Amino acid sequence: MIFAMDEIYQVSDLTAGTLGSLTPPARLAVFGDPVAHSKSPVFHNAALKAAGLDAQYVKILVRPDELPAALRALPQAGFLGTNVTIPHKAGALATVDEADDYARRSGAVNTVVVENDRLLGFNTDGPGLLRAIREEFSVDLRDLRVLLLGAGGGAGRAIAVQCAMEGCERLVLVNRTVDKARQLTAELAPFFRSDRLVGPVERLQAIAHEENALRDQLAHTDIVINATSVGMKRSDPPLLSAGLLTANLMVYDTVYAAGKSRLLEDAEAAGARTANGLSMLLHQGALSFEIWFNRPAPLEVMRAALRGQ
Ligand code: NAP
C-alpha cells in the first residue's frame, strides 16, 4: 500500500497489524470520531519527512466503545504513539497506564506515547495555547488577566488549568452552564492563593455567559479566549455582542474551522488584536512531536504545511 494522506482507517486495520505495511509504515495516528476533518496528518507527515523519519501519520476512525482496544493495540501494531481528539480525550486519560500532572488536572489526554508496551498520556493543548499566545501577541499568559469563554468544555478546562498553573494575573471562567465553571474555580483556587493584588476584583471568578456580567469583567481583562464551539460554522450566532469588545483587548479564538470567526471580525472592527486557533493547533502538534521523538519539531515545515491547506 502507498502513502494516502486522506485515507481514513478503521480500528480493525490497526488490530490486524496491516498499517505497518504501508509505505512509509504507519507509526503514529490521530484517533477521532469524526476524524475526516483532522488537519494533523498534513503537518505531522511534513514533519516526519523533514526529519528523515521512515514513518507516516494516519487518521483512524475510532468509535467511543473501541477506544480502549485501539489504544491497547498500539504496541503490537508497532506504533510509537497517537493523538486523540473529539470525543476521546477523557477516555484516553482513563485508559493510559500513566499520565502527567497537567493531563490529570485537565481530565484529558491528547498525546499517547508507547514505551515498553506501556501507554503514557500527555496533553499538549494548554502548552500549545501558551506558545501560540506568546507567538501571536508577544506576551506570556502569566502576565495576563484572562477571560475564558467555554471554561466548562474539554478545551476550556485544559486552558483554564494551564492559566492556573502559569499563575496568570487573573482568570475569569465563563460558561453557559455556570455550575461547571464554579466547580472548576473550586479545583483551581489553590493556584490563586497569594497576596498578589490586581485591584478591586478577585483573581479567580466564575460567571455565567450573560451580557452584564461579561461587561463588568471585561473592564478588568487583557485577553479574551474563546474555547466554546461557537464560531465553527459561519452561520453561528455571535458569541459576544460587538459592543462589548474594545481596542485594548487581545482576542484569541481557539476555533479555526471557519477561518475568521464572527468574534474575531467584531474584535478587529473594535481595534482589538486578534488571532485564531491555527497557531494553537500547530503548537500542540509540535509539542506532540517533541514528546514522541525527544527532539525539536521542524516548526516552520509544519507551519508551511498547515498554511498550504
Ligand atoms: P466541548 O467539550 O463540547 O465544549 C463546548 C463548550 O462550548 C462548552 O463550554 C459549552 O458550554 C460551550 N457552548 C456551546 N454552545 C454554546 C453557546 N451557544 N453559547 C455559549 N457557550 C456555548 O468542546 P471542546 O472539545 O472543548 O471544543 C471547543 C472548541 O475548542 C472547538 O471549537 C474546537 O475547535 C476548539 N479547539 C481548538 C483547538 C486548537 O488546537 N485550536 C484544540 C482543541 C479544541 P456548556 O458547558 O454550557 O454546554
Side-chain angles (χ1 to χ4, degrees), residues 85-86 89 125 149-157 159 174-178 180 209 226-232 237 239 252-257 276-282 284:
T85 186
I86 287 174
K89 292 182 186 179
D125 282 338
L149 303 167
R157 185 184 168 89
I159 292 169
V174 186
N175 208 54
R176 184 177 57 176
T177 315
V178 70
K180 291 193 208 166
H209 195 116
N226 175 32
T228 76
S229 42
V230 178
M232 292 186 79
L239 184 60
Y252 190 89
D253 197 339
T254 69
V255 172
Y256 53 82
N276 82 3
L278 274 178
S279 47
M280 176 177 168
L281 179 71
L282 172 71
Q284 63 77 30

Side-chain angles (χ1 to χ4, degrees), residues 3 5 23-25 28 40-57 289 293 295 297-298 301-302 305:
F3 184 87
M5 195 130 62
T23 308
L28 294 163
S40 295
V42 172
F43 59 79
H44 276 300
N45 281 315
L48 291 167
K49 197 168 169 205
L53 295 161
D54 185 34
Q56 71 168 291
Y57 181 112
F289 184 99
F293 296 108
R295 61 158 119 167
V301 169
M302 297 172 86

Side-chain angles (χ1 to χ4, degrees), residues 47-208:
L48 291 167
K49 197 168 169 205
L53 295 161
D54 185 34
Q56 71 168 291
Y57 181 112
V58 295
K59 294 181 204 181
I60 303 181
L61 177 65
V62 176
R63 307 286 185 205
D65 61 340
E66 297 176 311
L67 181 69
L71 286 170
R72 289 281 158 220
L74 289 169
Q76 190 68 28
F79 273 59
L80 305 168
T82 190
N83 283 132
V84 299
T85 186
I86 287 174
H88 297 314
K89 292 182 186 179
L93 176 66
T95 307
V96 293
D97 298 302
E98 210 178 299
D100 76 351
D101 181 47
Y102 170 67
R104 275 187 275 108
R105 288 184 190 275
S106 301
V109 156
N110 80 338
T111 305
V112 175
V113 179
V114 175
E115 195 180 272
N116 303 328
D117 285 356
R118 295 184 79 237
L119 302 175
L120 312 182
F122 302 86
N123 188 333
T124 63
D125 282 338
L129 176 84
L130 180 74
R131 288 192 184 184
I133 298 282
R134 195 178 289 149
E135 181 179 282
E136 300 279 9
F137 302 121
S138 306
V139 285
D140 277 316
L141 264 183
R142 76 170 72 92
D143 297 323
L144 296 175
R145 297 172 299 172
V146 180
L147 183 134
L148 176 61
L149 303 167
R157 185 184 168 89
I159 292 169
V161 171
Q162 186 71 42
C163 289
M165 289 174 78
E166 285 300 302
C168 70
E169 287 280 334
R170 184 162 192 254
L171 182 58
V172 177
L173 302 175
V174 186
N175 208 54
R176 184 177 57 176
T177 315
V178 70
D179 281 349
K180 291 193 208 166
R182 289 203 183 110
Q183 164 69 30
L184 192 51
T185 53
E187 287 173 47
L188 299 182
F191 289 97
F192 289 87
R193 272 188 208 122
S194 81
D195 298 333
R196 226 157 119 191
L197 289 176
V198 286
V201 285
E202 289 179 35
R203 284 189 65 206
L204 178 65
Q205 269 182 273
I207 63 165

Side-chain angles (χ1 to χ4, degrees), residues 197-226:
L197 289 176
V198 286
V201 285
E202 289 179 35
R203 284 189 65 206
L204 178 65
Q205 269 182 273
I207 63 165
H209 195 116
E210 289 165 5
E211 179 130 355
N212 285 338
L214 286 164
R215 181 177 291 106
D216 289 347
Q217 294 298 336
L218 284 166
H220 307 281
T221 294
D222 300 310
I223 187 166
V224 175
I225 301 175
N226 175 32

